[in-house]
Amino acid sequence: MENTLHLKASLWVEKKKLEVTLTSLTFEALRKELKEVLSTQKQNDLKYPIPDFKIYDKNNKIILNDDQVQRVFESQPVYLTVHFIHNENEEKYPEQKEEEEEDDDNNDDIYKISNPLVLLTGASKYERWNNLPGVKIDLINLRNLFEKNYGYNVYSTYDSNKFGTEILTLRMLNSFLSKHNNNNNNKNNDYNALIFVWCGHGNIINNENVLITSDDNKYKNLKTIQDLFTYQTKSFINKPKIFIINSSQENIPIQTLFYKQSNTFIIFYKSTSIDKGNYFIQLFCDIMIQNISFSKSFQYIFNFISKSIYKYINNPQFIQSISTFHQHIFFYHKNTFQNEIVIDSKDEIIKESDEIKKEIIESDETKNEITEFDENKEWTKANIIAHNMVNEMMDKKQKELLLFWEDVPFSMMINSNQFMKNKIIISPYFIYSFHSKNIIFDDIIIDGCVYAVDCVINGIGNCRITQHLIHTKKSIINFPFVSLIPIGPGPIDANNFKQLGINSFDKSSYDESITLFRFALCIRLQTLGDSHIDVADSCELLGNSYYMKGDQDKALKCHENALKIRLGKLESNHIHVAHSYNNLGSVYEKKGEYDKAIEYYEKSLKIFLDKLGSDHIHVASSYINLGNVYFSKGEYNNAIEYHEKSLKIYLDKLGSDHIDITNSYNNLGVIYEKKGEYDKAIEYHKKALKIRLDKLGSNHENVALSLSNFGNAYFEKGEYEKSIEYYEKALKIRLNKFGENHPFVAELYNVLGLVYMNMKDEINKSKEYGDKALEIFMKHENKGFDLHIAKCYEIVGLVLKKKGEYEKAMEYFEKSLKIRLKKVNEDHPDVCWCYHYLANCLKHKKQLDNAIEYGEKCLHFRLKKLGSNHPHVGQSYFLLGNIFFEMENRIEANKCYEKALVIFIQHFGQSHHKTQNVMSKLKLLIFFQKLKY
């Protein structure tokens, strides 16, 4: 017999709890089942026709598709709510957006709370129920949050300075509510929201949520309180009302209270915790304090807290919510919109133990000099504090654990006031210090760093530290964490991190090296100050890692800092200053700012020549760098001059088989390929590849570079099969080395797309590779890959041209042209290709005068840059011949074809397909000439 899937969910509609059963986990099936259930309910007691509705999960997230339905049913029990759409203008199924991305200027979707009435109620002592000492801590924490941090008017039934207020009878609660209801009806006030909180016991009586007061068997219906402030208090009509029910009762289900236009948000949090302050309240206060600086929506804050609780807390604690908010709610300090902000961001949240120290340090307190060295000044500040704390622990020989991570609450596994000694927040980072000899990580993921001082650490289940576990050598780590860094004895040593960073850099693990070099920089800033020469060293190493990762803006900032320190501490012609100039030249070269790159390379070369002599290896490296920039500018003769100087020094100093010589061979090969001397180019590439294979092995990036260069040369020769063979070998190495989304991989996708474009019936493959390359480069579009993106646009344009979509093709060629003209001069050989492609499209569109204009411009610049005998000049003549042929100007067409034929025969021979194409055109001209007579 075939098994049928039956999945149940609880659905709350008005005051009724309904059951829904699905046989398939699809959005369509869920809506269909809900409609049937609601139709049945309507026949019984719904008071109005059933309108359309939206479906929400227990986290108040709208459900829109199959994936979301499946995720909801992964966690049992399943609670669903529906929001009936009474307003015809309300969009039925809007696309979900992350609340943090909402635009604050859209006043229709945003409500700013800056002056709510806050009512805190709760009972700590009971006649028949267990006493709840933790309620007092929760109420004090909430009062501190709203009153001291936000400046709101707060009224609480509990006052730590008044004896007996831990008791709250029903009469006392009614009196409190009546007082604030009457005050708000009789007085003119400017409250723009209500926050009501209950802390204490709760229950379900007659299918209603009730709040149990201190006196014998008495309670207050939550719905009565809601009605009081929703309908009987004029001040809060059409204003947000937030009800937080922090109850120790185990079974508090959600009741759907969807009053039309009620604008209500209800949170139920249940816990059996009796003695300690409630985890939800503590986390809520922590996040809300940070919100003063970062201003996230209340819905975002609640969803963040919910996820954190679901992730870190198992039974018996649970959180649920319902909402009828139609706007995104944001909390601001009371004085925010009065041009006066008073924030006591260091106010202490009360813990059970007075030994716990907590600081909240706003990021604008960070010293300016830290900002200059690292854009993430909060990260730097947090690490400096963490290092100080660890050094203090090591000095005192304490057995402690320090955790430092971002945007998540600390693990409940070690969330104990008995062990936690310190808590510091530098938004958005948290630092926690725990005192314990033995620590067990039980199914925990810490998104950050952990420092262990003489501890024993064990792990159970899925444990992971996303950055590093930095531990003293006396610590015992009984779990295979990935990134283990031993330190000590004594203070944390920057040199240790530096060497580990160098090791990671040498392995091309640039993310790892960046983390380690940043640690080293933090320590040196802390111990040496911001102008010490060793700080310049750390900045340089960090800049080199950013450079290799492709983040040139950060690399530039690091190298500028290093140069500034070195110029302040060293002579202006010191070798280390030359290295800084050289590094800046490399960054500007990568960014496509070639004139700036030449300026810095020449400064570096001048110092090297003065200090080291004309035959030093550093001088040879400078020649290579200058040769590369002139190559990028399309000035090939200048480039050859510098690379030949470099090669001579390398051969004299290093011998003919040294690995560094391959750079000169490689570069000369590339230049000769661009000059159209393809056989000479291949000769240099063979020399480079032989040495690289011998010295580096077959899987090195430089081997991939040589293989790619072979592919380029054979492509220009028109030997496309051979070209693809080399490109694919290079691609295999780079995929293995860098992964699928690295720009080096995208470079090869680009050239493969170009090769397949020139092969018959391979347009789909060309498009596939071009699309892959463009997708990768667009992810790195602000990191110096503009020219590669331009090439991607050209491939897209060529695909469209081949499909006959000439107008669209021209759009992409013009995009490429725009990018290239920002980087290089109009006469650059790569710009010429844009003119060439545009001329070809215009020819097909029969706009022949415009086609001639672009074709002749391309020819003019190619003659200027490449000389009269370059294959690309031949291609310009061939294109112009085709345009003149279309114009029926046979004489000019014949002149162009003959010039192209001479060039192609010289470079490719008579049997090459390019030569044959020209010869076919000339035969066609002869045929037409005969017809004429």
Side-chain angles (χ1 to χ4, degrees), residues 317-335:
Q317 302 186 7
F318 203 72
I319 187 168
Q320 297 176 351
S321 74
I322 51 177
S323 171
T324 58
F325 281 174
H326 298 293
Q327 295 171 298
H328 292 284
I329 306 299
F330 287 79
F331 279 89
Y332 293 89
H333 189 275
K334 185 174 182 178
N335 296 323

PDB file of all heavy atoms in Angstrom, residues 317-335:
ATOM      1  N   GLN A 317      12.548  26.589  26.988  1.00  0.00           N
ATOM      2  CA  GLN A 317      12.281  27.987  26.661  1.00  0.00           C
ATOM      3  C   GLN A 317      11.852  28.097  25.207  1.00  0.00           C
ATOM      4  O   GLN A 317      12.348  27.400  24.344  1.00  0.00           O
ATOM      5  CB  GLN A 317      13.539  28.825  26.903  1.00  0.00           C
ATOM      6  CG  GLN A 317      14.019  28.734  28.335  1.00  0.00           C
ATOM      7  CD  GLN A 317      15.169  29.680  28.604  1.00  0.00           C
ATOM      8  OE1 GLN A 317      15.506  30.475  27.768  1.00  0.00           O
ATOM      9  NE2 GLN A 317      15.733  29.600  29.779  1.00  0.00           N
ATOM     10  N   PHE A 318      10.903  29.012  24.955  1.00  0.00           N
ATOM     11  CA  PHE A 318      10.351  29.098  23.609  1.00  0.00           C
ATOM     12  C   PHE A 318       9.807  30.487  23.364  1.00  0.00           C
ATOM     13  O   PHE A 318       9.393  31.174  24.291  1.00  0.00           O
ATOM     14  CB  PHE A 318       9.244  28.058  23.455  1.00  0.00           C
ATOM     15  CG  PHE A 318       8.991  27.670  22.045  1.00  0.00           C
ATOM     16  CD1 PHE A 318       9.890  26.890  21.345  1.00  0.00           C
ATOM     17  CD2 PHE A 318       7.849  28.110  21.410  1.00  0.00           C
ATOM     18  CE1 PHE A 318       9.650  26.545  20.037  1.00  0.00           C
ATOM     19  CE2 PHE A 318       7.606  27.762  20.094  1.00  0.00           C
ATOM     20  CZ  PHE A 318       8.510  26.974  19.409  1.00  0.00           C
ATOM     21  N   ILE A 319       9.777  30.897  22.117  1.00  0.00           N
ATOM     22  CA  ILE A 319       9.315  32.242  21.778  1.00  0.00           C
ATOM     23  C   ILE A 319       8.397  32.187  20.561  1.00  0.00           C
ATOM     24  O   ILE A 319       8.645  31.428  19.627  1.00  0.00           O
ATOM     25  CB  ILE A 319      10.512  33.187  21.521  1.00  0.00           C
ATOM     26  CG1 ILE A 319      10.040  34.612  21.351  1.00  0.00           C
ATOM     27  CG2 ILE A 319      11.329  32.739  20.321  1.00  0.00           C
ATOM     28  CD1 ILE A 319      11.172  35.625  21.383  1.00  0.00           C
ATOM     29  N   GLN A 320       7.303  32.953  20.631  1.00  0.00           N
ATOM     30  CA  GLN A 320       6.368  33.043  19.519  1.00  0.00           C
ATOM     31  C   GLN A 320       5.857  34.469  19.438  1.00  0.00           C
ATOM     32  O   GLN A 320       5.974  35.244  20.386  1.00  0.00           O
ATOM     33  CB  GLN A 320       5.194  32.075  19.711  1.00  0.00           C
ATOM     34  CG  GLN A 320       5.607  30.611  19.744  1.00  0.00           C
ATOM     35  CD  GLN A 320       4.441  29.696  20.033  1.00  0.00           C
ATOM     36  OE1 GLN A 320       3.358  30.160  20.372  1.00  0.00           O
ATOM     37  NE2 GLN A 320       4.657  28.408  19.903  1.00  0.00           N
ATOM     38  N   SER A 321       5.261  34.806  18.291  1.00  0.00           N
ATOM     39  CA  SER A 321       4.737  36.165  18.146  1.00  0.00           C
ATOM     40  C   SER A 321       3.616  36.196  17.135  1.00  0.00           C
ATOM     41  O   SER A 321       3.457  35.282  16.318  1.00  0.00           O
ATOM     42  CB  SER A 321       5.844  37.120  17.692  1.00  0.00           C
ATOM     43  OG  SER A 321       6.129  36.894  16.324  1.00  0.00           O
ATOM     44  N   ILE A 322       2.821  37.255  17.207  1.00  0.00           N
ATOM     45  CA  ILE A 322       1.875  37.591  16.146  1.00  0.00           C
ATOM     46  C   ILE A 322       1.934  39.094  15.947  1.00  0.00           C
ATOM     47  O   ILE A 322       2.312  39.843  16.846  1.00  0.00           O
ATOM     48  CB  ILE A 322       0.435  37.154  16.478  1.00  0.00           C
ATOM     49  CG1 ILE A 322       0.031  37.643  17.860  1.00  0.00           C
ATOM     50  CG2 ILE A 322       0.264  35.668  16.339  1.00  0.00           C
ATOM     51  CD1 ILE A 322      -1.386  37.317  18.217  1.00  0.00           C
ATOM     52  N   SER A 323       1.563  39.534  14.753  1.00  0.00           N
ATOM     53  CA  SER A 323       1.677  40.957  14.452  1.00  0.00           C
ATOM     54  C   SER A 323       0.586  41.379  13.481  1.00  0.00           C
ATOM     55  O   SER A 323       0.244  40.641  12.557  1.00  0.00           O
ATOM     56  CB  SER A 323       3.043  41.259  13.835  1.00  0.00           C
ATOM     57  OG  SER A 323       3.082  42.584  13.346  1.00  0.00           O
ATOM     58  N   THR A 324       0.044  42.559  13.705  1.00  0.00           N
ATOM     59  CA  THR A 324      -0.821  43.198  12.707  1.00  0.00           C
ATOM     60  C   THR A 324      -0.206  44.514  12.250  1.00  0.00           C
ATOM     61  O   THR A 324      -0.904  45.385  11.750  1.00  0.00           O
ATOM     62  CB  THR A 324      -2.236  43.456  13.278  1.00  0.00           C
ATOM     63  OG1 THR A 324      -2.128  44.264  14.442  1.00  0.00           O
ATOM     64  CG2 THR A 324      -2.922  42.150  13.611  1.00  0.00           C
ATOM     65  N   PHE A 325       1.098  44.670  12.467  1.00  0.00           N
ATOM     66  CA  PHE A 325       1.782  45.860  11.970  1.00  0.00           C
ATOM     67  C   PHE A 325       1.691  45.909  10.448  1.00  0.00           C
ATOM     68  O   PHE A 325       1.937  44.920   9.771  1.00  0.00           O
ATOM     69  CB  PHE A 325       3.263  45.835  12.362  1.00  0.00           C
ATOM     70  CG  PHE A 325       3.522  46.254  13.786  1.00  0.00           C
ATOM     71  CD1 PHE A 325       4.803  46.162  14.305  1.00  0.00           C
ATOM     72  CD2 PHE A 325       2.517  46.738  14.598  1.00  0.00           C
ATOM     73  CE1 PHE A 325       5.071  46.535  15.613  1.00  0.00           C
ATOM     74  CE2 PHE A 325       2.773  47.119  15.896  1.00  0.00           C
ATOM     75  CZ  PHE A 325       4.047  47.012  16.414  1.00  0.00           C
ATOM     76  N   HIS A 326       1.364  47.071   9.925  1.00  0.00           N
ATOM     77  CA  HIS A 326       1.378  47.274   8.479  1.00  0.00           C
ATOM     78  C   HIS A 326       2.530  48.177   8.065  1.00  0.00           C
ATOM     79  O   HIS A 326       2.642  48.572   6.911  1.00  0.00           O
ATOM     80  CB  HIS A 326       0.051  47.884   8.011  1.00  0.00           C
ATOM     81  CG  HIS A 326      -1.121  47.006   8.292  1.00  0.00           C
ATOM     82  ND1 HIS A 326      -1.320  45.796   7.671  1.00  0.00           N
ATOM     83  CD2 HIS A 326      -2.156  47.157   9.159  1.00  0.00           C
ATOM     84  CE1 HIS A 326      -2.429  45.237   8.123  1.00  0.00           C
ATOM     85  NE2 HIS A 326      -2.951  46.037   9.035  1.00  0.00           N
ATOM     86  N   GLN A 327       3.375  48.524   9.035  1.00  0.00           N
ATOM     87  CA  GLN A 327       4.529  49.367   8.766  1.00  0.00           C
ATOM     88  C   GLN A 327       5.751  48.745   9.443  1.00  0.00           C
ATOM     89  O   GLN A 327       5.620  47.899  10.321  1.00  0.00           O
ATOM     90  CB  GLN A 327       4.305  50.777   9.328  1.00  0.00           C
ATOM     91  CG  GLN A 327       3.170  51.547   8.664  1.00  0.00           C
ATOM     92  CD  GLN A 327       2.868  52.825   9.417  1.00  0.00           C
ATOM     93  OE1 GLN A 327       2.479  52.787  10.574  1.00  0.00           O
ATOM     94  NE2 GLN A 327       3.042  53.951   8.757  1.00  0.00           N
ATOM     95  N   HIS A 328       6.924  49.192   9.038  1.00  0.00           N
ATOM     96  CA  HIS A 328       8.152  48.794   9.711  1.00  0.00           C
ATOM     97  C   HIS A 328       8.388  49.764  10.871  1.00  0.00           C
ATOM     98  O   HIS A 328       8.444  50.970  10.675  1.00  0.00           O
ATOM     99  CB  HIS A 328       9.329  48.781   8.751  1.00  0.00           C
ATOM    100  CG  HIS A 328       9.220  47.697   7.728  1.00  0.00           C
ATOM    101  ND1 HIS A 328       9.467  46.380   8.021  1.00  0.00           N
ATOM    102  CD2 HIS A 328       8.850  47.739   6.427  1.00  0.00           C
ATOM    103  CE1 HIS A 328       9.267  45.651   6.946  1.00  0.00           C
ATOM    104  NE2 HIS A 328       8.888  46.442   5.969  1.00  0.00           N
ATOM    105  N   ILE A 329       8.508  49.216  12.060  1.00  0.00           N
ATOM    106  CA  ILE A 329       8.617  50.017  13.272  1.00  0.00           C
ATOM    107  C   ILE A 329      10.085  50.188  13.635  1.00  0.00           C
ATOM    108  O   ILE A 329      10.836  49.212  13.709  1.00  0.00           O
ATOM    109  CB  ILE A 329       7.865  49.349  14.438  1.00  0.00           C
ATOM    110  CG1 ILE A 329       6.412  49.056  14.029  1.00  0.00           C
ATOM    111  CG2 ILE A 329       7.918  50.225  15.682  1.00  0.00           C
ATOM    112  CD1 ILE A 329       5.608  50.276  13.667  1.00  0.00           C
ATOM    113  N   PHE A 330      10.506  51.441  13.880  1.00  0.00           N
ATOM    114  CA  PHE A 330      11.870  51.729  14.284  1.00  0.00           C
ATOM    115  C   PHE A 330      11.855  52.472  15.622  1.00  0.00           C
ATOM    116  O   PHE A 330      11.041  53.371  15.834  1.00  0.00           O
ATOM    117  CB  PHE A 330      12.587  52.595  13.238  1.00  0.00           C
ATOM    118  CG  PHE A 330      12.947  51.860  11.984  1.00  0.00           C
ATOM    119  CD1 PHE A 330      12.001  51.605  11.012  1.00  0.00           C
ATOM    120  CD2 PHE A 330      14.238  51.394  11.785  1.00  0.00           C
ATOM    121  CE1 PHE A 330      12.324  50.914   9.861  1.00  0.00           C
ATOM    122  CE2 PHE A 330      14.576  50.706  10.633  1.00  0.00           C
ATOM    123  CZ  PHE A 330      13.619  50.469   9.676  1.00  0.00           C
ATOM    124  N   PHE A 331      12.755  52.079  16.528  1.00  0.00           N
ATOM    125  CA  PHE A 331      12.881  52.733  17.824  1.00  0.00           C
ATOM    126  C   PHE A 331      14.016  53.755  17.771  1.00  0.00           C
ATOM    127  O   PHE A 331      15.103  53.461  17.279  1.00  0.00           O
ATOM    128  CB  PHE A 331      13.177  51.707  18.923  1.00  0.00           C
ATOM    129  CG  PHE A 331      11.954  50.983  19.409  1.00  0.00           C
ATOM    130  CD1 PHE A 331      11.524  49.819  18.799  1.00  0.00           C
ATOM    131  CD2 PHE A 331      11.225  51.472  20.483  1.00  0.00           C
ATOM    132  CE1 PHE A 331      10.401  49.147  19.238  1.00  0.00           C
ATOM    133  CE2 PHE A 331      10.099  50.811  20.931  1.00  0.00           C
ATOM    134  CZ  PHE A 331       9.674  49.644  20.312  1.00  0.00           C
ATOM    135  N   TYR A 332      13.744  54.942  18.319  1.00  0.00           N
ATOM    136  CA  TYR A 332      14.755  55.986  18.418  1.00  0.00           C
ATOM    137  C   TYR A 332      14.760  56.551  19.838  1.00  0.00           C
ATOM    138  O   TYR A 332      13.757  56.464  20.563  1.00  0.00           O
ATOM    139  CB  TYR A 332      14.466  57.124  17.425  1.00  0.00           C
ATOM    140  CG  TYR A 332      14.605  56.714  15.984  1.00  0.00           C
ATOM    141  CD1 TYR A 332      13.515  56.191  15.283  1.00  0.00           C
ATOM    142  CD2 TYR A 332      15.818  56.836  15.321  1.00  0.00           C
ATOM    143  CE1 TYR A 332      13.636  55.803  13.957  1.00  0.00           C
ATOM    144  CE2 TYR A 332      15.952  56.451  13.996  1.00  0.00           C
ATOM    145  CZ  TYR A 332      14.860  55.942  13.314  1.00  0.00           C
ATOM    146  OH  TYR A 332      14.992  55.558  12.005  1.00  0.00           O
ATOM    147  N   HIS A 333      15.881  57.135  20.215  1.00  0.00           N
ATOM    148  CA  HIS A 333      15.935  57.817  21.501  1.00  0.00           C
ATOM    149  C   HIS A 333      14.913  58.955  21.507  1.00  0.00           C
ATOM    150  O   HIS A 333      14.596  59.548  20.479  1.00  0.00           O
ATOM    151  CB  HIS A 333      17.342  58.373  21.743  1.00  0.00           C
ATOM    152  CG  HIS A 333      17.548  58.903  23.127  1.00  0.00           C
ATOM    153  ND1 HIS A 333      17.197  60.183  23.473  1.00  0.00           N
ATOM    154  CD2 HIS A 333      18.046  58.320  24.237  1.00  0.00           C
ATOM    155  CE1 HIS A 333      17.472  60.375  24.755  1.00  0.00           C
ATOM    156  NE2 HIS A 333      17.996  59.257  25.239  1.00  0.00           N
ATOM    157  N   LYS A 334      14.401  59.256  22.689  1.00  0.00           N
ATOM    158  CA  LYS A 334      13.334  60.247  22.809  1.00  0.00           C
ATOM    159  C   LYS A 334      13.721  61.586  22.200  1.00  0.00           C
ATOM    160  O   LYS A 334      12.893  62.293  21.621  1.00  0.00           O
ATOM    161  CB  LYS A 334      12.955  60.428  24.278  1.00  0.00           C
ATOM    162  CG  LYS A 334      11.771  61.362  24.495  1.00  0.00           C
ATOM    163  CD  LYS A 334      11.348  61.385  25.954  1.00  0.00           C
ATOM    164  CE  LYS A 334      10.139  62.289  26.145  1.00  0.00           C
ATOM    165  NZ  LYS A 334       9.679  62.283  27.554  1.00  0.00           N
ATOM    166  N   ASN A 335      14.993  61.951  22.313  1.00  0.00           N
ATOM    167  CA  ASN A 335      15.423  63.270  21.848  1.00  0.00           C
ATOM    168  C   ASN A 335      15.948  63.267  20.419  1.00  0.00           C
ATOM    169  O   ASN A 335      16.462  64.273  19.954  1.00  0.00           O
ATOM    170  CB  ASN A 335      16.505  63.823  22.775  1.00  0.00           C
ATOM    171  CG  ASN A 335      15.982  64.068  24.179  1.00  0.00           C
ATOM    172  OD1 ASN A 335      14.847  64.488  24.344  1.00  0.00           O
ATOM    173  ND2 ASN A 335      16.798  63.784  25.184  1.00  0.00           N
TER     174      ASN A 335
END
